[in-house]
Every structure is written in C-alpha cells, then in structure tokens.
Amino acid sequence: MTIKKKLDDYRFNLRRKQSWKYTAILAFFFLGFLSLLTSKFYIHTDDRLYHTKTFEPISTAGTGNITLEERVYYPIAHALDMVVKIDQGEDENLSFSAMEKANPNVKLPVKVVYEDEGYYVVRVNNLSPHWEALAFDLYQEEEENETVNVEDMTSHYSTDTAEKEDSQSFLTTLYSDQTKTKQGKGKSLQQKQDYSLLVNALEKKTVKKKMQNYEKAIALEAKQNRQTQQEMNDLQRDMKYQVDEEKADTESKIALKKDRIQSSDETIELYKTEQKSLQEKLKMLNEKEQDLVMK
C-alpha cells in the first residue's frame, strides 16, 4: 500500500513538472509576441533622411546646373536660409516651394530675399521647432504662346480675347536633414548688404576652388609631358641600334609623342589663360567686398 501511494505521488509530480514546462513555453511565446507588437513604443528606429550636399552641382534639363551653396537654420526665427546658384545663360523665372516632414500637408512660406547674377537667397519661414527634414522644390515658370479665340472675335467684335497661360516645370528637389543643418545665431541676416557679402564670399570661394583645380591640371599636364619626353628620348636612343624597318616604326611612335606634347602644351596655355581670367575675377570680388564693407 505504501509503495503504491509513492508511485502515484511520483506520477502526479511528474505530470505537474511537465505541465510547468508547457506553461513556460507558452508564456515565452506570448511575451515574445507581445514585445513584437509593442516594440515601436520603446525601440527607436531611424528613418533615412536625405540631405543634399553643398557645392555639388545637380544637373537639370533645360536650365543647366543647380548648386546648393549654403544652408543655415535660425531656431529663434524658425527660418531656414538657402543660397542656391543657378548656372544659366539667362533668367529662367524660378519659383520655389517647401514642406517639412513634421507637417507634410502644409506648404511653408517661401520668400526670395536676395538675387544677384544667378545666386538666389531663399528664406523658408514658419518651420516647426522639430521639423526633422525639409523638401525644397525648384520650378521654372514658363509662359505659353499667346492664343486668340477667333470665334469670340467674330461674334463679339472684340480684340481683348488674347489669353496667356502660365505653367511650371519641375527642376529638382533639395533635401535638408535638421540634425545635419548648420545653425545660425540671431534671427538670420536682415540687410541686403549682409546678403551681398554672403554671396560675394561664396563666389570668391568658388573662384579660388577653380583656380586650384587649374593649378592641379597644369601640374598634371606638365608631369605627363616630362614622362612623354623621356619616352621619346629613349626611342631616339634605341634607333642607333635598329635596322631601317625598325627605325621607320620608331619614328612613327616619336611623331605621335611629339603631337601629344604639342597638344598638352596648348592645353596648358588654355588653362593659364583661364587662370588669369579667374585672377581678374577674384580681384574684382575683393574690390566689391571692400565697397560693401565701406557702405
């Protein structure tokens, strides 16, 4: 009797242990499923925000290149100033619009505060304190040809039926990430002179960069010329030990290298001419800066 009771107790305890295992497994799956549903409340996920780099030209159809030269956010004024350069031959009648990620259904007020020789300083106002990201669209205003409604002229004997319709052509979008955008002090620039100095400084920076690029290009051409000249000297030295047929082939190679050196010399002269033009441009920009400061 005692042995049977012990056996029953053992079976009962065994079943109880197995039931705890099943309970633990079910609880584990339940907690895992619950954590998956609620993970968005305590796990921070970073959405990829685009951020257009400055001084990198963006090619657009019809208007040339568009470059974001500067971007400064002024928290006190809730405003973002963007300096955009348009490489174009004539005025393209540009227009702008902007919206932030925090309020994607609201178009923000946009105002061109300064414009000079392809540079546009555009201010975006009424930004939220945590706007996160900004999409800044550029458009080209296009005027369609005037059309005359002949039937209206015939029936009403009026010549005032000419209509002009305006349309917009999308050019590109410039993106700004709030965490990567430079912050300015105060309420942004206020006077036209300040914007003139800003644009003048950016233009000077561009001119200096071009001058450096030409300097590097000239040095590279000169290095290649020296290498080509050395190869040509080696070929001329080898001709002393060649038969007539080999000499003819070597002379042909030497002629090609002479042409290459001549072409490179012409390229160097062209680069030097561009450098002189840029030096004159830099001189004028320095004089303009002095005049602006004296005002």
Side-chain angles (χ1 to χ4, degrees):
M1 190 70 178
T2 304
I3 296 175
K4 184 178 180 181
K5 185 176 183 304
K6 289 183 178 180
L7 183 61
D8 291 340
D9 291 342
Y10 174 76
R11 290 173 178 172
F12 175 75
N13 291 333
L14 185 62
R15 292 192 189 99
R16 187 171 60 180
K17 288 180 180 179
Q18 290 177 345
S19 65
W20 275 106
K21 290 180 180 180
Y22 292 134
T23 303
I25 293 173
L26 289 174
F28 175 77
F29 280 112
F30 176 75
L31 292 174
F33 181 70
L34 183 63
S35 64
L36 180 64
L37 291 177
T38 59
S39 62
K40 63 180 180 179
F41 295 107
Y42 57 85
I43 297 178
H44 179 69
T45 56
D46 290 327
D47 294 330
R48 181 183 178 187
L49 300 179
Y50 293 100
H51 189 72
T52 303
K53 295 182 179 180
T54 54
F55 302 110
E56 289 191 2
I58 300 173
S59 179
T60 61
T63 192
N65 292 331
I66 294 176
T67 307
L68 177 60
E69 298 274 329
E70 180 75 309
R71 151 201 311 118
V72 183
Y73 171 54
Y74 296 91
I76 296 177
H78 303 291
L80 178 69
D81 283 356
M82 305 184 72
V83 183
V84 183
K85 182 183 179 183
I86 315 295
D87 293 328
Q88 59 187 15
E90 57 184 357
D91 185 13
E92 295 287 351
N93 299 320
L94 297 180
S95 63
F96 312 89
S97 68
M99 61 182 63
E100 62 182 15
K101 183 181 179 183
N103 297 296
N105 297 323
V106 177
K107 281 193 174 183
L108 298 171
V110 176
K111 180 182 179 182
V112 178
V113 295
Y114 183 81
E115 178 184 353
D116 181 38
E117 296 184 359
Y119 284 89
Y120 292 80
V121 182
V122 187
R123 178 180 299 163
V124 182
N125 290 304
N126 296 356
L127 281 164
S128 305
H130 304 286
W131 45 275
E132 298 184 60
L134 183 82
F136 183 75
D137 296 331
L138 291 85
Y139 298 89
Q140 176 184 340
E141 300 285 349
E142 296 179 345
E143 293 185 358
E144 295 185 355
N145 295 331
E146 294 184 357
T147 58
V148 178
N149 192 324
V150 179
E151 293 183 358
D152 288 345
M153 289 182 63
T154 306
S155 58
H156 300 288
Y157 301 99
S158 174
T159 59
D160 297 330
T161 57
E163 298 178 353
K164 183 185 295 185
E165 297 181 357
D166 294 334
S167 62
Q168 287 185 333
S169 175
F170 173 76
L171 295 177
T172 191
T173 299
L174 304 178
Y175 298 96
S176 298
D177 182 345
Q178 186 175 4
T179 61
K180 298 178 182 179
T181 300
K182 181 173 66 176
Q183 290 193 11
K185 298 179 181 179
K187 297 183 179 180
S188 77
L189 304 178
Q190 298 295 327
Q191 300 180 3
K192 182 179 179 181
Q193 178 185 3
D194 297 326
Y195 291 109
S196 298
L197 286 169
L198 172 62
V199 169
N200 194 76
L202 290 171
E203 197 166 2
K204 283 176 59 177
K205 185 175 182 179
T206 300
V207 170
K208 290 179 180 179
K209 183 64 176 178
K210 288 182 178 179
M211 291 176 64
Q212 291 176 358
N213 291 339
Y214 277 122
E215 191 68 31
K216 292 178 181 178
I218 290 173
L220 181 60
E221 291 287 341
K223 180 180 178 180
Q224 292 176 346
N225 269 3
R226 290 193 297 269
Q227 182 178 350
T228 304
Q229 182 65 50
Q230 182 60 46
E231 293 173 354
M232 191 168 61
N233 293 339
D234 293 340
L235 289 172
Q236 289 175 340
R237 185 180 62 250
D238 293 341
M239 285 181 64
K240 298 178 181 179
Y241 314 102
Q242 293 176 348
V243 298
D244 292 342
E245 184 177 349
E246 291 175 329
K247 287 182 179 180
D249 181 61
T250 302
E251 288 176 351
S252 177
K253 292 179 180 179
I254 291 174
L256 289 174
K257 293 187 181 298
K258 285 183 177 179
D259 291 341
R260 187 183 303 172
I261 291 175
Q262 183 178 353
S263 176
S264 182
D265 287 339
E266 292 174 356
T267 300
I268 290 175
E269 289 301 318
L270 179 62
Y271 289 164
K272 288 182 177 180
T273 301
E274 293 294 332
Q275 268 192 324
K276 290 181 181 179
S277 177
L278 289 170
Q279 288 172 353
E280 287 294 323
K281 179 67 174 177
L282 184 61
K283 181 181 177 181
M284 293 173 60
L285 289 172
N286 287 330
E287 292 176 356
K288 182 178 180 180
E289 181 179 9
Q290 292 177 1
D291 292 341
L292 288 171
V293 172
M294 293 298 293
K295 286 184 178 180

